[in-house]
Amino acid sequence: MGREKIRIKGAAIVGMLILVGIISFVAPSKISEGAYTYEMKAFSSYDELSEYLKNTYQNGTYGGFYYGGARKGAVTLDAGWDAPSNAGESAPDFSTTNVQVAGVDEPDIVKTDGEYLYMVSNEQIYIIRAYPPENATVLSVITGDMRPEHIFINENTLVIFGDSYRSVAVDNNKTIWLDSIPTTMIITYNITDRANPERITSVEMDGSYFDARMIGTMIYVITTEYLGTFYHILDGNDTLYIPEIKIGNETVAVSPADIYYVDTPEPAEAMTHVTAINLENGEILQKAFLIGSTGTLYVSRENIYMTHTKYDYRYGTLEEIYVPPEETTIIHKIAITNWTIAYQGEGRVPGHVLNQFSMDEFNGFFRIATTVGHVWSGTARNNVYILDRNMQVVSSIENIAPGEEIHSARFMGERAYLVTFKKIDPFFTLDLSDPYHPRILGKLKIPGYSDYLHPYDENHIIGIGKETVEALESEKESRNLDFAWYQGIKIALFDVTDFENPVEMTKVVIGDRGTESPVLYDHKALLFDREKELFVIPVSVYEIDEEVKEKYNNATGSMYGEFTFQGVYVYQLTLEDGFVFKGRITHMNISEENETEYGWRYGDYLREIKRALYIGNTLYTVSESMVKMNSIDTLEEINTIDLE
C-alpha cells in the first residue's frame, strides 16, 4: 500500500485541540470537603510530570478516586491508505453482532458480511467462505505479532485488536535491565482478495486493550495502564516512560505540553488512552486521560462515557462488625463528534455500576442505575440517576428494593427496566418520559432473576438469567438468612403493554443448578431475530438425575447437577406460542472413553460453542476448533469445518 509515513499536525491545529479540551471542561468537581472547581493544566516539562507522578506514587492512594485531563496530538498516515470499497454482488440476509446502541458496532470474536466469516480462534484470524454452506472452506489464516482479542469488519477492511508490549531499558545506577510496558496493537488488512489479505498498517499504543467501538468508518479504541507500568521509583531513582504511539515502524513521543491533568487533591492512578482511527483516510487522533482505571464503558453516537468507582473505607466502633465503604461512581464524558476527542466533564453518583447496560444516553440526558452496598452485608439498595449535558444530577429514584441488588438493567427511550434479586425476581418498569420526574410504574415479583434483558419489541422484553427455589427452613435457620438457591438457565418473555402491570407471559428452564451460559455476562453470545422467529443460546447443561430428585422429594435446590451437554439450544419464539424448542447442536464428540470424573472430556473446551449466527437459512455455530452449518428449519447438518 505504499511506504507508511507519520506526520504530526501543525502547531495551530494542536493548539486548537488543546483549547477545545480546556473550554470543554467547565463542570465543577466536588469532594467531601465541599464543592470546588479545578483548573485543567498542562505540564511544562518532563521533570514537572515526574514530580506529579512521584507525589501520586508516594501518596499510595490506589483504589480511591482519581481525576485527570488529556494528552492531545493527531497523527496522520500517508495517503497510501486506500478507502474500503463494496464487494459488489448482494448476499442473503445475515445476522450482525448483538449490540447495545444501534449504529454503534462492538468488536467481537466472530463477524460476517453475509458471504464470509471472520473469526478469532487459536490465537489466529480465520477468513472462511461461508456461503453457500455446501462449499464452505477456509480461505486464509492470519497469524501476527500479537494475541488477537477482537475484530471489526468494515466492507473490505479487517481490523484486528490485541495486546502486546514494548520493552524499555531501566537503569537503577547499579545495573540495566529490561522492563515492558503493556501496549495495544491494531492491525488493518485489505481483504478485497479474501484468500490473500494484504496488510495495510499497524498502530501500537500504550495501555492494555480495554474495548472499542465502530461508528461508520470511525473506530474508537480505549486502552488503560496503571501508574506503575509507566512510572517507577527504584532505589530512590524515578523513571518515567513517555507515552508513545507507533505507526508502522515509526514512533511518536508525546510532548509534556500535550499531557493534561486536573490539579486535585486526589491524584491519578491510571492513564486511559482514547484513540480514533478514520478508516477512509487512515488519520489517527489520540488523547490520554489521567483518571482512575476504567471500570465500565458506554458509547453513544456522540459521546463516550467511562466510569470509575471510588471506595472510601471507614473505621467503625468496636461494636460494629462491618462498616461498608462509601461508594461513589464517577462518570467521565468525552465527545467524539466532528473528528474530536474532547473531554466534557465528570459526574458523580452513589453506588457501583453493574455493566454497560446500566447506562444510557437519551435526548441529551445520561441515565445510570447503581447499587450501593451488598446483599450479604444487608446494606444493598438501588438507585437510578438522570444527569444533564453538563453531567449534573437533575433527578433520581433512590432506595429501590432495599436489601437486594441489581442483576440487570435496560434503558429503552422513555422507558427503563430493572431487575433486582435476593430471593425472588422483582421486575420493575420505570417511566423516564419526564427526565426531571422519573417514576417507578410497575413491579412484578416472580421466582428467579434475569442477568440480561433484551427487547423483543416495544411492548415485550426477553429476560435471561437463572431460575431459583426457596431454601428449606432448616437451611435458612442454619445460615440465619432468608434466601433462595439459583437453579438452571431461565428464559422468560415479559409483556409490558400495560406498563404499570408487567406480566410474565411464558418461560423455559434449561438444566439444573450448575447450568451456565455466556449470555449471562456477554450479550454478544445471544442470537435473536424476531423476523425469523429465531432464538439461539449457548449453554453448558448440568442435570440432576430424576431418581435423585424423587429420593429427596425434589428438595434438591442446593445440589449441583452433572454435566450432560454443551452447545446451543434453538427455539422458535413468537408472541403466540412463546419459546418452542426446535433442537440443539453440539460440537463435542461425546465419548465415554475420554470421560473424566467431572463429566468433562479432554479437549472439549476447544469445542465449546461460543457464538451462533445465520446467513440466509443456514445457522452457523462457532467454537475454537469448528464451524458447523445446520438448516434453520430442520437443524439438519449441512457441513462442518474443522479448525484444529
Side-chain angles (χ1 to χ4, degrees), residues 85-387:
S85 59
N86 290 318
E89 295 184 4
S90 61
D93 61 331
F94 58 92
S95 58
T96 56
T97 301
N98 179 25
V99 300
Q100 180 180 9
V101 180
V104 181
D105 197 10
E106 300 180 24
D108 201 8
I109 56 175
V110 180
K111 295 282 185 179
T112 184
D113 55 15
E115 185 175 0
Y116 303 94
L117 292 186
Y118 312 87
M119 58 181 292
V120 180
S121 178
N122 303 313
E123 300 188 1
Q124 302 175 109
I125 307 297
Y126 289 81
I127 299 180
I128 298 171
R129 181 186 296 279
Y131 191 86
E134 295 82 1
N135 300 324
T137 185
V138 175
L139 294 180
S140 57
V141 181
I142 299 174
T143 58
D145 28 18
M146 67 169 176
R147 181 177 179 272
E149 296 282 346
H150 288 142
I151 57 174
F152 275 128
I153 290 295
N154 195 302
E155 297 181 346
N156 284 330
T157 300
L158 167 66
V159 185
I160 307 171
F161 305 91
D163 285 324
S164 188
Y165 67 92
R166 63 181 176 97
S167 298
V168 292
V170 179
D171 185 358
N172 68 346
N173 293 330
K174 293 182 179 180
T175 183
I176 296 178
W177 49 280
L178 289 180
D179 197 3
S180 61
I181 294 176
T183 62
T184 295
M185 289 198 70
I186 306 170
I187 302 178
T188 55
Y189 282 85
N190 183 320
I191 53 172
T192 303
D193 181 356
R194 267 67 174 177
N196 297 285
E198 183 180 359
R199 181 162 169 159
I200 301 174
T201 193
S202 64
V203 179
E204 184 175 10
M205 63 199 69
D206 287 1
S208 299
Y209 171 69
F210 181 77
D211 210 340
R213 296 291 187 269
M214 181 168 68
I215 304 173
T217 58
M218 295 295 302
I219 288 179
Y220 301 92
V221 188
I222 291 84
T223 66
T224 62
E225 56 180 332
Y226 286 97
L227 184 150
T229 64
F230 60 89
Y231 181 79
H232 292 304
I233 296 180
L234 187 64
D235 294 336
N237 300 307
D238 59 339
T239 300
L240 168 67
Y241 306 127
I242 306 302
E244 296 179 352
I245 180 169
K246 182 179 180 182
I247 303 178
N249 296 318
E250 299 186 57
T251 300
V252 176
V254 179
S255 165
D258 293 332
I259 302 176
Y260 285 75
Y261 70 103
V262 175
D263 190 12
T264 75
E266 300 165 319
E269 69 163 352
M271 184 177 288
T272 296
H273 304 264
V274 180
T275 303
I277 301 176
N278 188 329
L279 293 179
E280 288 188 323
N281 57 24
E283 191 173 7
I284 296 174
L285 176 66
Q286 188 193 39
K287 300 183 183 181
F289 301 83
L290 282 167
I291 56 177
S293 56
T294 299
T296 52
L297 176 74
Y298 170 82
V299 182
S300 69
R301 295 180 66 89
E302 297 180 344
N303 297 292
I304 292 174
Y305 296 87
M306 299 183 293
T307 71
H308 168 64
T309 301
K310 169 192 174 184
Y311 295 92
D312 285 330
Y313 291 90
R314 301 171 292 167
Y315 297 97
T317 65
L318 293 176
E319 291 77 18
E320 293 178 296
I321 298 175
Y322 172 73
V323 179
E326 184 176 310
E327 301 172 290
T328 303
T329 289
I330 297 89
I331 311 112
H332 301 280
K333 178 181 179 180
I334 301 169
I336 53 173
T337 56
N338 301 320
W339 189 236
T340 61
I341 303 175
Y343 191 84
Q344 300 296 295
E346 58 94 12
R348 299 189 181 199
V349 296
H352 59 270
V353 179
L354 177 65
N355 55 34
Q356 69 186 64
F357 290 95
S358 295
M359 301 181 286
D360 177 76
E361 181 188 79
F362 182 70
N363 286 343
F365 291 92
F366 178 75
R367 296 92 67 87
I368 183 169
T370 67
T371 296
V372 176
H374 299 278
V375 169
W376 58 265
S377 64
T379 60
R381 62 186 190 276
N382 309 286
N383 317 290
V384 172
Y385 297 96
I386 300 179
L387 292 77

Side-chain angles (χ1 to χ4, degrees), residues 352 397 608 624:
H352 59 270
I397 306 175
E608 291 181 44
E624 287 278 346

Side-chain angles (χ1 to χ4, degrees), residues 6-11 13-14 72-76 245 251-253 258:
I6 302 175
R7 176 168 57 86
I8 301 295
K9 285 189 172 181
I13 296 180
V14 172
K72 299 176 171 63
V75 180
T76 303
I245 180 169
T251 300
V252 176
D258 293 332

Side-chain angles (χ1 to χ4, degrees), residues 465-482:
K466 292 288 186 71
E467 179 71 310
T468 61
V469 296
E470 189 169 353
L472 301 174
E473 289 302 321
S474 58
E475 294 170 328
K476 296 178 184 179
E477 291 175 3
S478 66
R479 297 192 177 199
N480 193 28
L481 182 67
D482 187 13

